Amino acid sequence: MEYKIGIDVGGTFTDFLLTSEDGPSEVYKVLSTPDDPAVGLLNGLSEMAQAKQLSLNEFIDKVTAIVHGTTVTTNAVLTRKGAKTGLLTTKGLRDALEMRRGIREKQYDNRYTNVEPLVPRYLRYPVEERLDYKGETVVDLKEQDVLDAVELFREEDVRAIAVCFMNSFANPAHEARAAEIIKEKLPDAYLTVSAGFLPSIRFYDRISTTVLNSYVGPKLKSYLVSLVKKLEDIGFKGILLIMQSNGGVISPRFAMENAAVTLLSGPAAGPVAGIEYTSIHGYNNCITVDMGGTSFDAALIKNRTPLTTTEGEIERLRIALPMLGIVTIGAGGGSIGWVDEGGLLRMGPQSAGSKPGPACYGLGGRLPTCTDADLILGYLDKDFFAGGKIPLDYDGAVTAVKENIAGKLNMDVVEAAAGMYRVINVNMAAGVREVSVKRGEDPREFPLVVAGGAGPVHACMIARELEIPVMIVPKESSIFCAAGMLMSDLKHNFVRTYTAPLNKIDKDKFIAMFDEMEKEASALLREEHIPENAFRFVYSLDMRYLKQYHELNVAITKEEIKKGDIDSIAAKFHPEHSRLYGYSLEEQGTPIELINIRLLSIGETVKPRFIEEDYDGEDPSGAFKKKRNAWLPLERRFEEVPVYDGAAIRYGNKVEGPAIIEQVNTTTFVTPEYSVLCDKYGSYTMYLKTKENEIKGKLL
Amino acid sequence: MKIDKILVSVFQRRFKSITEEMSIVLTRTTRSPILCEAKDFVTGLYDAKGKMLEQTENLPILSFSLGPVCEYIVDYFGEEIYPGDVIFHNDVFSMGNQNNDVAVYKPIFYKDKLVAWAAAKGHQADIGGAVAGGYNPRATEVWQEALRIPPVKVYEKGKLRKDVWDLIFANIRFDIVAADMRAQIGSCVVGERGILTLVEKYGIDVFESHKQYLFDSTEKMMRSEIKTIPNGVYRGEASVYYDGRTPGSKYKIRVKITVEDEHITFDYSDTDPQTPGFVNGTYTSSASATLLTFLQMVNPDIPHNDGMVRPVKIIIPEGTILNAKYPAATTFGNHLCPPNADAVMRALSRAIPKRITAGWNQLLCYLTTGFDLRKKDNYVDIGFIGLKGGSGGTDGVDGYDHIGMIDASGGVLDQDYEMFEQQTPHLLLKHEYWKDSAGAGQWRGGLGVETEFKIGGDKTKVVTFGDGDVEPAFGLFGGKDSTLNKIELRYPDGKVYTATTKDLVEAVPEGTVLFQQAGGGGGYGHPHLRNAEKVALEVRNGIIGIDRAKELYGVVVDPENFTVNINKTKQLRSNEPTK
């Protein structure tokens, strides 16, 4: 028996999905250990070994791969506990990092302060040197400045250094020389050089991303070094892979040097999982939503490809690395309900978190949260929350809603709770609109994959708000990201800036730039033990109409590159512009300008197999538990609805709404408009009753 | 009709997200850096009568003219508004705020009934007139500044009126303007889609009644905010220096603010008469200035719709510098916002001392136009990089460094340096915080910025517009004033020319260095009350000089290790009363 394990370290729990060649996959959850996440991780491994009645050594010997999502870098930024970092930058431009181009995100709030820069001004060292817009030298590099900076950094005990010079995307020479000097004088410092790390135009984007990498690098490096050692110590001989923000995985060595690629890795495995859970039913597109305790993540996947952006941010700091376009909003089980001065009901973004938690946890929380509303409305069972591990205080929930909402709005408690339920659903629907409608996609055409502990309670009403007919609640819904990690491929992004009108590009240079990136990519994949037949390359260009400022990324083929087929490339650009923004300038004959060329290299990994169950027939009565009163939001009344035991639901069972399906970590509330059909892999498909025939055709 | 209060929240959220979607179209697809990089535009939705439903206000000074113009358009075309119409407007004598700020309006019809309007307004790179880019300090009449566009249909019933389109763009210098106006139309199409989805889903009656309820609840919110201001009459004034024609000229903005329970009135009747040049406001640019300043003193979460403005009354008599009579030149009008804001802050400093800020840096901006020899093409560039001074400190919080004019309040961005060098022939030499530029205080003002670049290309003209070279941003409650603005041209032959604040300098040779200082914001509270450790850190960071730390803050810092000399500091600070 061989195992693969997906591990997602979250704020409260560390989730594990254990898969094997022939058995069903298994879910484990242990408490996270924020001081050293590796401890929780090893606790989980021990628990699994015990469950298999093996010693840890015996167990780990059978594990061939561990895929790991880490929040080490994310937390280093959120808590400002990254490395003491120094920056070398072009003289005269010392403050670009801190200025952030002069934005104040809340224009009407004079108490809203700028973000503390990751490198204080006295450690931002100006170096005399200058390249022009084409990369030609205007002022030579003054090496003495670099030496002086290194001296200051040594005195100040700086552990990480970033180098970012003006226009270095066009010529890396000055940065490279500075790096040589630094490596010689301070060989132990963690060094990031902008032209090597992110050779693309836009100074603020590059300097911010480069500094982020240095700031979080030492932390991730020491964590991974220690994790690798701990795993080796218990006898692990398999492959360890790390989740990145772009939805791919990488080797620990690459992650150590490019730490910033893991900055938003937390939710990044979700979309990958979404693709797998929907494509087995023949879907190429889907929207994934993951509702946890404090936040709600939404992502859109089209043609089995998650949407990617290079315009991400963390804590208002720019990261210009490709990352999945996941929208996170402050909506979760812990979101607090409140009434504003105008008498409107609001939910979040403040969250009661896990401490003090929702009022119904009885841990001292007195403010009404989404979970309190869900309890009052009968969706949650006070005796079966987390499988009964957390008994819920119904009266506490009622008091909190009464005092803070119902009283102020002159409503009864149920009406107020129903309002809370509705408002948060609308907020989450807005999050879904942001990844779909805002990008010109119609959410009704996408099945909604619903994950997270709180997600399936709200799914039907989010779907209804957006008129989404089909939802999928994966069997591993509560540890969705851990599952996604095992389904992720190795991914590396490469970029080069080449600014020229598309019809005037130097074809040899164009081809050579792609070749160079491809060579680099292949070397990396080989190093990560990926066989050549599992290599895949995705080529794309950032282009725009002449004189526009923002680019549009358009995928192109190897053939088009080889032939330098400009016409064919242009023919792809115009319709894409029109689709996204409502117009193209093809008729006007407006020239297209090339800005960046990009390569995504993929090393395909072997995915876990979904285990098929035997068909059990439509009748779900084997899983019937009892009946309970639950609020029907459209009918606006309580009704006694059947409650089913999710663990006992089998392939083919059909549950008609209204109904509730309880699993240990998730409750699914099915409104009267929808029904649920369990597929052969144990996941639920929820669909509008009018769509039954279509769904049966897909699933049975 | 019964009101579903929850649905009201849904509508409010939806209106907001539609206007944000409209903004994304402009950011992503416009060409002028003024729009796509600096986001000098606003998108909004209005009801059938032109009342504001919601806006996304990247540059607030443009914002509060969109509603009044919409009402004007509704009135102007009366029955002759059809599905598929697209209307342009910039005319400052029919509620426009500035000639360069050209708006697109698109009526939204549901089953042949006008239900709402989508609008997008942006600052165009050129709008005709005597000078490229529109800022013409020599203008005395509107025609010397711009092409006037009173409401005009460029599409009627979905059909392009090619003759009208060509007439407009035949009078505008740069072809990117037509492309940018196309993007604004695209933005309105996106707004239309959003509203129609909503109306189709809920029906027109629900839409109307719930919209009305939203207005009322927002009004209630605003009223309860006003109620927190003590009743009374508060007066404030500020000066506008140099009208672009007579050196040394000076005008006063005077405001009388009356707070009466849940109502507030801003009365500018005592303000000085209009100037002979272009330093004149329009009613909507001035009222926007008042409103955006006031909005910084109330709960920032109040939704922006018609209900928000109902309890606020703004009186600006025609013929004053804030509301010039036809056919005055007015392109400078948006930039009367900083002194207007000063007058309002000063007035309310007595009523709500903890909610106002000390003075913000006044805007001083340059604009370069010329011929880029590399691309063999003309360019125009507004110097967003250089104009960003600091905001004033307030109770408990320092001013924001490098935020720029209060008209934008941090909504307008610097050009990215590398994009700046791709798009203009200039070479950026310096863009850094300006040491000692902030007004000292317990809560210091925001830092100003020094900018320096070498001008490249041919036929370069430099236009300047702004203020702040006579009077610095003011300190409050013992806080100190900050530093002055300056724009200087350092010619290759060694001559130095200090531009006036409303200048047009022609034939600037290649190799000339433009040097700009944008001053800091004013300090709040006596500097001796400032945390000494903070001062020491700022000395170490090189933004406060060690002597100034001693002189102004009474903090003695060790130049070797940047620690505070506690005894000497105590001694210095005990010598001066701080209240």
Side-chain angles (χ1 to χ4, degrees):
Chain A
M1 179 80 78
E2 285 188 345
Y3 297 111
K4 286 186 179 182
I5 306 174
I7 307 175
D8 180 24
V9 180
T12 317
F13 290 104
T14 301
D15 297 340
F16 300 81
L17 184 70
L18 178 69
T19 65
S20 59
E21 290 287 299
D22 35 13
S25 55
E26 294 166 48
V27 172
Y28 292 84
K29 263 177 189 279
V30 303
L31 283 172
S32 293
T33 49
D35 291 338
D36 179 5
V39 173
L41 197 151
L42 281 142
N43 288 344
L45 295 177
S46 302
E47 201 172 292
M48 280 181 251
Q50 252 169 21
K52 301 279 165 212
Q53 297 182 320
L54 296 171
S55 75
L56 186 53
N57 288 95
E58 288 163 350
F59 172 68
I60 206 76
D61 197 44
K62 296 179 191 294
V63 178
T64 56
I66 293 177
V67 187
H68 178 30
T70 164
T71 47
V72 167
T73 51
T74 319
N75 289 340
V77 176
L78 298 185
T79 60
R80 289 307 166 97
K81 289 195 174 132
K84 189 168 186 183
T85 305
L87 168 67
L88 295 189
T89 190
T90 302
K91 188 177 167 190
L93 309 176
R94 184 182 187 184
D95 297 319
L97 180 75
E98 182 169 350
M99 287 175 168
R100 298 188 310 124
R101 297 180 60 199
I103 191 171
R104 182 172 80 177
E105 290 84 345
K106 296 186 179 179
Q107 284 160 277
Y108 297 101
D109 188 351
N110 283 327
R111 317 193 81 79
Y112 194 66
T113 53
N114 196 6
V115 196
E116 199 64 34
L118 296 180
V119 183
R121 195 169 198 264
Y122 74 93
L123 293 176
R124 303 197 294 261
Y125 203 94
V127 174
E128 206 173 296
E129 70 82 37
R130 190 64 155 85
L131 305 169
D132 73 3
Y133 74 108
K134 282 193 293 194
E136 281 164 21
T137 303
V138 180
V139 178
D140 288 327
L141 175 73
K142 190 173 163 195
E143 296 192 4
Q144 189 56 45
D145 283 353
V146 180
L147 290 166
D148 293 347
V150 164
E151 211 35 58
L152 171 73
F153 294 164
R154 188 197 308 279
E155 279 166 28
E156 288 293 327
D157 199 20
V158 161
R159 295 302 169 94
I161 299 172
V163 183
C164 184
F165 293 156
M166 181 77 177
N167 289 324
S168 68
F169 69 91
N171 175 4
H174 286 183
E175 285 189 357
R177 177 64 194 128
E180 261 176 33
I181 298 172
I182 295 164
K183 277 183 196 155
E184 189 196 319
K185 302 282 177 192
L186 286 178
D188 293 333
Y190 186 100
L191 177 65
T192 314
V193 181
S194 89
F197 183 61
L198 182 70
S200 64
I201 190 167
R202 285 202 165 92
F203 188 72
Y204 171 63
D205 291 8
R206 205 169 63 246
I207 199 168
S208 175
T209 312
T210 305
V211 166
L212 269 163
N213 194 63
S214 279
Y215 184 75
V216 299
K219 261 229 140 124
L220 185 71
K221 194 171 179 176
S222 75
Y223 169 64
L224 289 179
V225 166
S226 118
L227 178 65
V228 167
K229 170 131 198 335
K230 280 180 179 140
L231 287 174
E232 272 172 11
D233 287 350
I234 59 170
F236 176 62
K237 296 185 201 68
I239 297 168
L240 174 66
L241 292 169
I242 307 300
M243 193 74 209
Q244 320 174 67
S245 327
N246 69 0
V249 293
I250 38 170
S251 64
R253 187 191 70 74
F254 187 84
M256 286 177 202
E257 274 160 34
N258 301 274
V261 302
T262 66
L263 272 168
L264 293 178
S265 75
V272 182
I275 294 169
E276 297 299 327
Y277 282 108
T278 49
S279 64
I280 50 177
H281 297 313
Y283 294 104
N284 281 323
N285 306 330
C286 69
I287 292 172
T288 60
V289 295
D290 190 340
M291 183 186 183
T294 50
S295 65
F296 172 85
D297 301 318
L300 181 136
I301 292 108
K302 224 185 154 187
N303 296 323
R304 308 198 54 183
T305 313
L307 202 117
T308 305
T309 174
T310 50
E311 295 180 358
E313 276 189 356
I314 179 167
E315 289 285 282
R316 298 157 72 197
L317 304 169
R318 195 84 172 71
I319 320 171
L321 296 169
M323 55 178 60
L324 298 188
I326 296 173
V327 168
T328 298
I329 61 170
S335 291
I336 294 170
W338 53 288
V339 176
D340 72 20
E341 288 173 62
L344 292 185
L345 173 61
R346 311 251 193 138
M347 290 293 286
Q350 261 69 44
S351 166
S354 54
K355 269 183 200 168
C360 62
Y361 279 21
L363 299 172
R366 293 187 184 268
L367 295 175
T369 65
C370 175
T371 305
D372 295 308
D374 291 345
L375 177 64
I376 291 170
L377 298 174
Y379 306 141
L380 302 179
D381 184 342
K382 68 183 171 56
D383 299 320
F384 193 71
F385 192 67
K389 275 190 231 163
I390 306 176
L392 299 182
D393 174 7
Y394 179 84
D395 295 339
V398 167
T399 309
V401 172
K402 190 185 265 172
E403 283 176 0
N404 297 284
I405 313 263
K408 288 185 186 167
L409 293 177
N410 212 2
M411 292 173 168
D412 65 41
V413 167
V414 169
E415 212 182 331
M420 291 166 70
Y421 181 71
R422 189 163 173 202
V423 169
I424 199 160
N425 291 341
V426 169
N427 288 349
M428 290 190 280
V432 175
R433 292 175 61 79
E434 193 140 337
V435 296
S436 56
V437 181
K438 244 188 196 178
R439 293 167 183 160
E441 305 292 351
D442 185 341
R444 288 172 294 196
E445 296 166 5
F446 296 74
L448 189 72
V449 181
V450 185
V457 174
H458 295 260
C460 283
M461 293 309 290
I462 299 172
R464 186 180 190 277
E465 171 74 19
L466 299 160
E467 297 169 25
I468 292 176
V470 180
M471 286 164 277
I472 291 167
V473 181
K475 188 179 172 208
E476 285 82 19
S477 151
S478 71
I479 52 124
F480 191 57
C481 280
M485 284 166 198
L486 289 178
M487 300 162 177
S488 302
D489 292 317
L490 281 104
K491 280 187 185 169
H492 297 281
N493 292 99
F494 298 85
V495 59
R496 301 279 187 273
T497 290
Y498 182 12
T499 56
L502 186 63
N503 56 8
K504 287 186 189 149
I505 56 169
D506 173 346
K507 288 180 187 171
D508 294 336
K509 180 176 168 189
F510 182 69
I511 294 167
M513 283 173 109
F514 269 112
D515 281 350
E516 186 188 290
M517 291 193 290
E518 206 173 306
K519 257 184 213 147
E520 226 178 286
S522 302
L524 262 173
L525 289 175
R526 259 179 237 117
E527 197 186 314
E528 288 168 329
H529 308 293
I530 298 295
E532 305 254 345
N533 61 8
F535 286 13
R536 212 149 57 71
F537 297 108
V538 180
Y539 312 89
S540 68
L541 303 177
D542 292 346
M543 293 178 288
R544 62 191 187 195
Y545 285 119
L546 192 66
K547 297 186 187 178
Q548 269 183 340
Y549 235 71
H550 290 276
E551 302 86 49
L552 194 56
N553 181 263
V554 179
I556 57 168
T557 63
K558 179 91 185 181
E559 291 310 300
E560 286 164 334
I561 297 169
K562 270 193 198 154
K563 290 187 195 150
D565 193 343
I566 302 312
D567 294 341
S568 160
I569 293 170
K572 285 181 172 169
F573 176 81
H574 298 298
E576 184 64 3
H577 192 279
S578 168
R579 188 183 69 82
L580 280 169
Y581 306 122
Y583 69 102
S584 92
L585 297 173
E586 188 174 7
E587 269 176 45
Q588 281 83 356
T590 306
I592 297 169
E593 194 176 15
L594 174 65
I595 300 296
N596 293 316
I597 68 176
R598 293 183 185 273
L599 174 76
L600 167 65
S601 72
I602 298 171
E604 287 178 353
T605 57
V606 182
K607 312 289 183 304
R609 243 167 6 102
F610 286 97
I611 304 296
E612 298 184 14
E613 285 181 25
D614 292 332
Y615 184 67
D616 186 56
E618 263 193 18
D619 180 13
S621 58
F624 179 77
K625 268 170 104 171
K626 59 178 176 183
K627 286 201 163 194
R628 148 161 117 235
N629 260 331
W631 176 260
L632 304 185
L634 294 177
E635 292 74 8
R636 304 188 64 75
R637 62 180 156 77
F638 273 103
E639 190 175 295
E640 215 172 50
V641 305
V643 180
Y644 294 91
D645 175 8
I649 294 224
R650 294 280 167 266
Y651 171 34
N653 289 178
K654 185 179 115 187
V655 173
E656 288 193 41
I660 288 171
I661 305 175
E662 290 181 342
Q663 288 161 289
V664 171
N665 295 306
T666 316
T667 299
T668 305
F669 171 53
V670 193
T671 60
E673 290 173 291
Y674 289 89
S675 285
V676 170
L677 196 59
C678 180
D679 70 19
K680 63 177 105 168
Y681 313 105
S683 298
Y684 308 147
T685 297
M686 280 203 273
Y687 53 91
L688 279 176
K689 284 177 177 167
T690 50
K691 295 258 173 185
E692 180 150 325
N693 288 333
E694 185 188 317
I695 296 299
K696 280 188 169 166
K698 270 188 192 294
L699 262 57
L700 299 179
Chain B
M1 172 170 284
K2 192 178 175 322
I3 294 298
D4 175 349
K5 288 185 189 173
I6 307 300
L7 191 59
V8 177
S9 309
V10 174
F11 279 16
Q12 195 270 322
R13 281 285 314 138
R14 188 65 61 79
F15 293 154
K16 184 70 200 166
S17 72
I18 296 169
T19 62
E20 286 167 358
E21 286 167 33
M22 294 169 69
S23 267
I24 288 171
V25 174
L26 291 186
T27 309
R28 298 299 310 182
T29 74
T30 50
R31 298 164 169 210
S32 158
I34 304 161
L35 297 170
C36 55
E37 285 276 280
K39 294 196 189 179
D40 190 343
F41 62 80
V42 178
T43 54
L45 294 169
Y46 307 85
D47 75 2
K49 292 182 184 146
K51 301 289 184 194
M52 187 202 318
L53 292 172
E54 191 49 84
Q55 300 185 146
T56 286
E57 295 149 6
N58 301 290
L59 191 54
I61 192 74
L62 280 65
S63 316
F64 302 104
S65 112
L66 277 162
V69 170
C70 197
E71 290 179 51
Y72 181 83
I73 288 175
V74 169
D75 193 47
Y76 185 88
F77 287 106
E79 291 302 304
E80 292 173 350
I81 298 168
Y82 309 109
D85 285 358
V86 174
I87 297 160
F88 282 4
H89 179 274
N90 83 335
D91 180 36
V92 296
F93 298 105
S94 52
M95 294 290 165
N97 61 299
Q98 191 197 42
N99 299 310
N100 278 68
D101 295 335
V102 186
V104 172
Y105 286 86
K106 192 169 198 317
I108 303 171
F109 282 83
Y110 176 68
K111 293 185 178 163
D112 294 331
K113 185 174 162 29
L114 179 65
V115 292
W117 292 80
K121 178 194 293 208
H123 187 114
Q124 303 307 317
D126 186 62
I127 188 63
V131 177
Y135 285 92
N136 178 10
R138 292 167 197 168
T140 55
E141 295 176 319
V142 62
W143 304 285
Q144 293 144 11
E145 303 191 289
L147 173 71
R148 283 182 73 193
I149 312 176
V152 61
K153 289 189 187 180
V154 291
Y155 280 81
E156 191 169 53
K157 298 180 180 171
K159 193 174 177 329
L160 174 70
R161 296 174 65 181
K162 191 168 180 303
D163 48 353
V164 175
W165 184 276
D166 289 348
L167 173 69
I168 291 172
F169 293 102
N171 284 286
I172 291 174
R173 287 178 182 79
F174 304 130
D175 56 359
I176 59 169
V177 177
D180 286 347
M181 291 304 292
R182 253 189 208 105
Q184 284 181 217
I185 296 172
S187 168
C188 290
V189 170
V190 168
E192 180 183 33
R193 277 184 209 151
I195 286 289
L196 284 181
T197 311
L198 207 58
V199 177
E200 274 161 15
K201 186 161 174 182
Y202 294 100
I204 190 70
D205 294 340
V206 172
F207 177 81
E208 284 297 327
S209 57
H210 286 66
K211 172 201 85 188
Q212 212 52 56
Y213 187 89
L214 171 63
F215 286 171
D216 293 345
S217 93
T218 304
E219 179 180 352
K220 214 167 112 193
M221 240 175 136
M222 191 50 142
R223 281 168 177 263
S224 74
E225 283 290 321
I226 295 171
K227 217 177 162 180
T228 64
I229 306 172
N231 277 346
V233 175
Y234 308 99
R235 290 170 198 273
E237 61 172 51
S239 302
V240 176
Y241 294 91
Y242 185 44
D243 58 15
R245 308 191 67 81
T246 312
S249 50
K250 181 176 166 181
Y251 299 78
K252 284 279 187 196
I253 292 174
R254 297 186 188 88
V255 64
K256 181 178 97 179
I257 302 173
T258 309
V259 180
E260 240 182 316
D261 302 330
E262 295 180 345
H263 291 270
I264 188 163
T265 304
F266 296 84
D267 182 349
Y268 291 91
S269 296
D270 294 334
T271 291
D272 281 354
Q274 69 190 67
T275 79
F278 79 145
V279 181
N280 288 309
T282 62
Y283 177 83
T284 52
S285 70
S286 298
S288 282
T290 307
L291 207 51
L292 75 89
T293 307
F294 182 58
L295 285 175
Q296 302 190 355
M297 302 170 196
V298 296
N299 179 353
D301 290 332
I302 298 180
H304 285 196
N305 61 46
D306 189 59
M308 174 187 82
V309 292
R310 283 180 190 164
V312 182
K313 193 169 168 192
I314 301 170
I315 302 165
I316 313 172
E318 208 182 47
T320 60
I321 185 172
L322 292 180
N323 183 10
K325 261 191 203 139
Y326 173 85
T330 60
T331 299
F332 190 83
N334 280 356
H335 314 301
L336 291 172
C337 178
N340 189 345
D342 279 358
V344 171
M345 292 279 188
R346 283 190 177 116
L348 290 175
S349 65
R350 290 182 284 282
I352 41 173
K354 287 182 187 298
R355 280 195 263 164
I356 49 99
T357 68
W360 288 48
N361 168 244
Q362 306 262 322
L363 169 78
L364 177 58
C365 184
Y366 67 79
L367 178 157
T368 57
T369 69
F371 189 75
D372 187 340
L373 296 163
R374 309 172 306 175
K375 298 182 180 171
K376 314 228 171 341
D377 200 0
N378 293 308
Y379 71 90
V380 57
D381 180 68
I382 294 190
F384 292 105
I385 289 185
L387 64 79
K388 281 173 167 281
S391 74
T394 185
D395 179 57
V397 182
D398 286 345
Y400 208 96
D401 302 331
H402 172 249
I403 184 173
M405 49 188 168
I406 195 168
D407 339 5
S409 296
V412 166
L413 304 188
D414 297 333
Q415 293 97 324
D416 181 83
Y417 304 161
E418 286 169 354
M419 293 306 270
F420 170 76
E421 292 193 352
Q422 297 277 332
Q423 305 278 345
T424 73
H426 311 322
L427 183 80
L428 185 65
L429 302 173
K430 182 176 191 184
H431 183 243
E432 281 184 358
Y433 291 138
W434 175 16
K435 188 176 181 178
D436 291 329
S437 59
Q442 180 182 6
W443 307 103
R444 69 161 171 84
L447 287 162
V449 165
E450 286 185 320
T451 308
E452 216 177 296
F453 62 90
K454 194 191 271 181
I455 289 171
D458 201 11
K459 298 179 188 152
T460 309
K461 286 183 196 173
V462 174
V463 175
T464 66
F465 50 93
D467 206 325
D469 66 339
V470 180
E471 202 182 294
F474 62 89
L476 265 182
F477 309 126
K480 305 293 181 204
D481 292 354
S482 69
T483 42
L484 295 174
N485 290 334
K486 177 158 91 174
I487 290 178
E488 207 172 77
L489 291 170
R490 299 171 179 167
Y491 289 98
D493 63 7
K495 281 188 194 131
V496 175
Y497 173 72
T498 303
T500 69
T501 52
K502 287 98 190 162
D503 217 333
L504 170 56
V505 189
E506 291 178 282
V508 179
E510 188 170 8
T512 301
V513 169
L514 187 148
F515 172 71
Q516 175 169 15
Q517 288 176 319
Y524 184 106
H526 197 286
H528 277 196
L529 297 172
R530 187 170 180 80
N531 179 317
E533 296 296 333
K534 254 190 203 169
V535 176
L537 183 64
E538 293 186 334
V539 169
R540 170 172 223 180
N541 275 327
I543 59 169
I544 299 181
I546 201 159
D547 298 340
R548 251 179 87 93
K550 191 171 159 192
E551 244 167 73
L552 285 172
Y553 288 96
V555 177
V556 179
V557 178
D558 183 318
E560 287 296 308
N561 56 18
F562 301 103
T563 54
V564 178
N565 184 322
I566 297 171
N567 286 336
K568 283 189 186 163
T569 297
K570 223 179 202 171
Q571 211 178 347
L572 267 181
R573 287 188 156 189
S574 63
N575 291 341
E576 200 179 327
T578 54
K579 291 285 171 193

